[in-house]
């Protein structure tokens, strides 16, 4: 089913003309995808909007692809997409975004832990309150204790650094307004940071409590090393939000932190050599100070290169320097 992009109109009686796309990235979810699809189709048909269901197979090695082909024959609303290999959840979501022309885009996981019954409430809130993003909050998570604790710590760090007040960045159940979503693209594992990335382009973000069910089929793709990858991604998101247009402030600031004490240490050693005749060649302070100066100079030069690259990025028209507020 091809959904045409339509402008959302809101009046006193509600929302007149809205189209939906529901995007589900799946990887080795052959045991759950049929049940999830049936639940989604039933729920979406009851909502009464024009919709399509975009199921993106992220290079599954089980029978997921075969299940998707069978489901697309049963339900005309389904638009299956098959990636050549396992690229990761962010790339699978981006494939779904690229395939959608709807006004409102919904994302959720394919493991049956997100509840399709939460979608009408979230879509209604997005439209009623004129929001750009409604993010799910799994307040009662059905996951192991260690995973919940690590996630809670990570969410607090992300909220503090990005200044986007959400409790659960990792919940895949989210609702987006497409006109804001097309202002950014996601790579790597940046899907969990979409509310923060969209906040950088002026999105109004809110959070709604949603149900979370225990996993019944398949196994979790979560691993402990993902926690450390998330920490690295946080640094990148903060850089994009605060320093994309002024990289010299980021690299140059770090460079000065190294350069100033390094220069002070070298100056101190020079004074000892000139006025006290001290032997400074074997002092650890000499090596440390020289290293700090070298690192500081490299970081400042990196910042200058970043300034040139950022100007090329913006002036070549690849990325707008600013966005106007949505009217």
């Amino acid at each position: 089913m091809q959904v045409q992009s339509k402008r959302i109109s809101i009046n006193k009686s509600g929302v007149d003309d809205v189209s939906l796309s529901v995007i589900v990235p799946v990887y080795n979810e052959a045991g759950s995808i049929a049940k999830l699809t049936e639940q989604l189709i039933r729920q979406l048909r009851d909502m009464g909007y024009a919709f399509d269901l975009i199921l993106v197979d992220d290079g599954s090695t089980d029978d997921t692809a075969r299940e998707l082909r069978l489901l697309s024959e049963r339900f005309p609303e389904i638009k299956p997409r098959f990636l050549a290999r396992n690229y990761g959840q962010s790339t699978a979501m981006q494939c779904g975004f690229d395939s959608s022309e709807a006004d409102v885009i919904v994302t959720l996981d394919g493991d049956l832990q997100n509840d399709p019954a939460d979608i009408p409430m979230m879509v209604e809130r997005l439209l009623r309150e004129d929001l750009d993003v409604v993010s799910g909050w799994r307040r009662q998570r059905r996951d192991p204790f260690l995973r919940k604790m690590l996630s809670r710590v990570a969410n607090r760090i992300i909220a503090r650094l990005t200044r986007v007040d959400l409790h659960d960045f990792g919940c895949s159940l989210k609702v987006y307004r497409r006109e804001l979503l097309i202002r950014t693209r996601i790579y790597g594992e940046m899907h969990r940071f979409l509310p923060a990335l969209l906040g950088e382009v002026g999105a109004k973000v809110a959070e709604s409590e949603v149900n979370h069910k225990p996993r019944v089929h398949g196994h979790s793709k979560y691993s402990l090393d993902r926690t450390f990858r998330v920490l690295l991604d946080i640094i990148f998101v903060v850089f994009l939000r605060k320093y994309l247009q002024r990289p010299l402030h980021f690299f140059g600031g770090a460079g000065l932190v190294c350069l100033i004490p390094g220069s002070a240490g070298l100056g101190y050693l020079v004074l000892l050599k000139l006025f006290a005749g001290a032997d400074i060649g074997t002092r650890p302070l000499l090596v440390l100070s020289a290293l700090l100066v070298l690192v500081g100079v490299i970081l400042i030069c990196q910042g200058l290169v970043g300034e040139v690259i950022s100007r090329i990025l913006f002036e070549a028209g690849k990325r707008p320097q600013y966005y106007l507020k949505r009217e």
Side-chain angles (χ1 to χ4, degrees):
M1 176 181 177
Q2 185 71 23
V3 175
Q4 299 298 321
S5 180
K6 302 175 182 177
R7 183 177 179 82
I8 298 176
S9 58
I10 302 176
N11 57 27
K12 294 181 180 179
S13 62
V15 182
D16 289 334
D17 198 11
V18 181
S19 57
L20 300 179
S21 278
V22 177
I23 296 171
V24 185
V26 291
Y27 176 65
N28 290 346
E29 300 289 358
S32 62
I33 190 60
K35 184 176 180 180
L36 174 64
T37 299
E38 291 169 356
Q39 292 178 2
L40 283 169
I41 292 292
R42 183 166 57 249
Q43 185 68 69
L44 294 169
R45 285 177 176 173
D46 288 343
M47 291 175 67
Y49 298 127
F51 75 92
D52 55 10
L53 177 57
I54 303 174
L55 303 175
V56 183
D57 176 30
D58 188 21
S60 297
T61 56
D62 62 358
D63 290 333
T64 298
R66 183 177 66 86
E67 289 290 328
L68 293 187
R69 291 187 177 92
L70 293 175
L71 288 167
S72 64
E73 294 175 359
R74 290 177 55 194
F75 302 107
E77 297 94 341
I78 291 180
K79 293 167 59 175
R81 295 291 183 267
F82 304 94
L83 300 185
R85 64 174 178 84
N86 179 230
Y87 288 93
Q89 191 171 356
S90 290
T91 300
M93 280 191 180
Q94 187 62 58
C95 173
F97 298 155
D98 293 340
S99 302
S100 172
E101 296 179 350
D103 302 305
V104 175
I105 294 177
V106 182
T107 63
L108 71 159
D109 281 333
D111 55 12
L112 286 173
Q113 290 194 271
N114 295 137
D115 190 352
D118 290 319
I119 294 176
M121 172 269 296
M122 297 177 72
V123 172
E124 180 185 354
R125 185 179 180 192
L126 179 96
L127 301 174
R128 183 182 67 250
E129 299 181 19
D130 198 25
L131 300 170
D132 298 303
V133 182
V134 177
S135 181
W137 175 15
R138 300 164 295 180
R139 193 166 192 170
Q140 302 295 330
R141 290 190 62 171
R142 309 298 181 184
D143 287 323
F145 176 77
L146 178 60
R147 180 175 178 181
K148 289 191 290 186
M149 290 304 299
L150 291 174
S151 178
R152 186 173 301 174
V153 172
N155 283 314
R156 288 181 179 176
I157 294 173
I158 297 169
R160 182 72 176 271
L161 293 178
T162 62
R163 298 180 182 179
V164 177
D165 190 18
L166 296 180
H167 294 86
D168 190 359
F169 284 85
C171 181
S172 294
L173 181 53
K174 294 182 173 68
V175 180
Y176 304 94
R177 195 179 293 267
R178 183 176 181 272
E179 60 189 280
L180 265 292
L181 191 60
I182 60 176
R183 292 183 176 182
T184 189
R185 297 184 67 84
I186 50 176
Y187 304 90
E189 297 184 11
M190 302 300 290
H191 58 277
R192 63 178 61 87
F193 298 104
L194 253 179
L197 294 174
L198 292 173
E200 191 267 335
V201 296
K204 293 184 288 185
V205 182
E207 189 172 50
S208 291
E209 290 188 30
V210 297
N211 297 315
H212 191 237
K213 302 177 181 179
R215 176 181 276 273
V216 178
H217 302 281
H219 62 277
S220 173
K221 282 72 176 179
Y222 178 86
S223 58
L224 189 59
D225 69 310
R226 194 174 79 173
T227 301
F228 302 103
R229 298 200 301 268
V230 168
L231 294 176
L232 295 176
D233 288 337
I234 291 173
I235 297 174
F236 181 62
V237 171
V238 171
F239 177 82
L240 285 180
R241 284 179 58 88
K242 297 183 64 175
Y243 298 104
L244 183 61
Q245 296 192 37
R246 46 192 178 100
L248 183 58
H249 290 186
F250 179 82
F251 292 104
L256 290 176
V257 169
C258 297
L259 187 60
I260 292 174
S263 299
L266 289 179
Y268 169 72
L269 293 175
V270 169
L271 291 177
L272 284 181
K273 182 67 175 179
L274 292 178
F275 296 103
D279 182 13
I280 64 172
T282 58
R283 296 197 177 200
L285 181 60
L286 177 63
V287 177
L288 176 60
S289 298
L291 181 61
L292 287 173
V293 169
L294 179 61
V295 171
V297 171
I298 291 174
L299 286 172
I300 292 174
C301 291
Q302 183 69 38
L304 293 171
V305 172
E307 288 286 334
V308 174
I309 293 175
S310 69
R311 279 154 177 74
I312 293 174
L313 175 67
F314 291 112
E315 293 178 12
K318 298 299 182 182
R319 183 185 178 97
Q321 186 177 357
Y322 59 87
Y323 293 97
L324 298 175
K325 286 185 177 181
R326 177 173 53 84
E327 297 181 359

mmCIF file of all heavy atoms in Angstrom, residues 12 111 177 185-186 252 266 301 321:
data_model
loop_
_atom_site.group_PDB
_atom_site.id
_atom_site.type_symbol
_atom_site.label_atom_id
_atom_site.label_comp_id
_atom_site.label_asym_id
_atom_site.label_seq_id
_atom_site.Cartn_x
_atom_site.Cartn_y
_atom_site.Cartn_z
ATOM 1 N N LYS A 12 -11.179 21.911 15.721
ATOM 2 C CA LYS A 12 -11.814 21.663 17.007
ATOM 3 C C LYS A 12 -12.326 20.239 17.139
ATOM 4 O O LYS A 12 -12.455 19.708 18.242
ATOM 5 C CB LYS A 12 -12.963 22.653 17.216
ATOM 6 C CG LYS A 12 -12.503 24.100 17.351
ATOM 7 C CD LYS A 12 -13.675 25.021 17.580
ATOM 8 C CE LYS A 12 -13.205 26.468 17.724
ATOM 9 N NZ LYS A 12 -14.340 27.401 17.932
ATOM 10 N N ASP A 111 10.153 -7.849 18.858
ATOM 11 C CA ASP A 111 10.252 -8.981 19.775
ATOM 12 C C ASP A 111 9.032 -9.161 20.669
ATOM 13 O O ASP A 111 9.073 -9.939 21.617
ATOM 14 C CB ASP A 111 11.503 -8.837 20.649
ATOM 15 C CG ASP A 111 11.550 -7.499 21.386
ATOM 16 O OD1 ASP A 111 10.528 -6.795 21.394
ATOM 17 O OD2 ASP A 111 12.613 -7.161 21.935
ATOM 18 N N ARG A 177 6.883 13.064 14.126
ATOM 19 C CA ARG A 177 6.306 13.845 13.037
ATOM 20 C C ARG A 177 7.332 13.849 11.901
ATOM 21 O O ARG A 177 8.480 14.270 12.078
ATOM 22 C CB ARG A 177 5.995 15.268 13.503
ATOM 23 C CG ARG A 177 5.075 16.038 12.578
ATOM 24 C CD ARG A 177 4.816 17.426 13.149
ATOM 25 N NE ARG A 177 4.045 17.377 14.388
ATOM 26 C CZ ARG A 177 2.730 17.463 14.450
ATOM 27 N NH1 ARG A 177 2.022 17.586 13.339
ATOM 28 N NH2 ARG A 177 2.105 17.434 15.612
ATOM 29 N N ARG A 185 19.626 12.130 9.893
ATOM 30 C CA ARG A 185 19.803 10.723 9.543
ATOM 31 C C ARG A 185 20.572 10.056 10.678
ATOM 32 O O ARG A 185 21.332 10.703 11.396
ATOM 33 C CB ARG A 185 20.562 10.555 8.216
ATOM 34 C CG ARG A 185 19.830 11.142 7.025
ATOM 35 C CD ARG A 185 20.574 10.851 5.729
ATOM 36 N NE ARG A 185 20.576 9.435 5.390
ATOM 37 C CZ ARG A 185 19.591 8.818 4.750
ATOM 38 N NH1 ARG A 185 18.515 9.485 4.386
ATOM 39 N NH2 ARG A 185 19.670 7.529 4.475
ATOM 40 N N ILE A 186 20.371 8.754 10.827
ATOM 41 C CA ILE A 186 21.020 8.033 11.910
ATOM 42 C C ILE A 186 21.957 6.981 11.346
ATOM 43 O O ILE A 186 21.657 6.312 10.359
ATOM 44 C CB ILE A 186 19.991 7.388 12.855
ATOM 45 C CG1 ILE A 186 18.932 6.578 12.083
ATOM 46 C CG2 ILE A 186 19.324 8.453 13.705
ATOM 47 C CD1 ILE A 186 17.956 5.842 12.989
ATOM 48 N N GLY A 252 39.989 22.908 20.726
ATOM 49 C CA GLY A 252 40.886 23.931 21.237
ATOM 50 C C GLY A 252 40.831 24.042 22.740
ATOM 51 O O GLY A 252 41.863 24.261 23.401
ATOM 52 N N LEU A 266 57.508 23.398 31.231
ATOM 53 C CA LEU A 266 58.735 23.647 30.473
ATOM 54 C C LEU A 266 59.387 24.957 30.897
ATOM 55 O O LEU A 266 60.622 25.048 31.014
ATOM 56 C CB LEU A 266 58.418 23.667 28.976
ATOM 57 C CG LEU A 266 58.068 22.317 28.326
ATOM 58 C CD1 LEU A 266 57.750 22.517 26.850
ATOM 59 C CD2 LEU A 266 59.210 21.322 28.484
ATOM 60 N N CYS A 301 45.277 22.238 16.431
ATOM 61 C CA CYS A 301 45.304 22.086 14.968
ATOM 62 C C CYS A 301 44.106 21.278 14.483
ATOM 63 O O CYS A 301 43.520 21.584 13.442
ATOM 64 C CB CYS A 301 46.611 21.417 14.537
ATOM 65 S SG CYS A 301 48.084 22.446 14.771
ATOM 66 N N GLN A 321 22.486 25.466 8.129
ATOM 67 C CA GLN A 321 23.109 26.028 9.319
ATOM 68 C C GLN A 321 22.074 26.258 10.423
ATOM 69 O O GLN A 321 22.405 26.276 11.600
ATOM 70 C CB GLN A 321 23.796 27.356 8.971
ATOM 71 C CG GLN A 321 24.607 27.955 10.104
ATOM 72 C CD GLN A 321 25.318 29.225 9.694
ATOM 73 O OE1 GLN A 321 25.242 29.630 8.532
ATOM 74 N NE2 GLN A 321 26.017 29.845 10.620
#
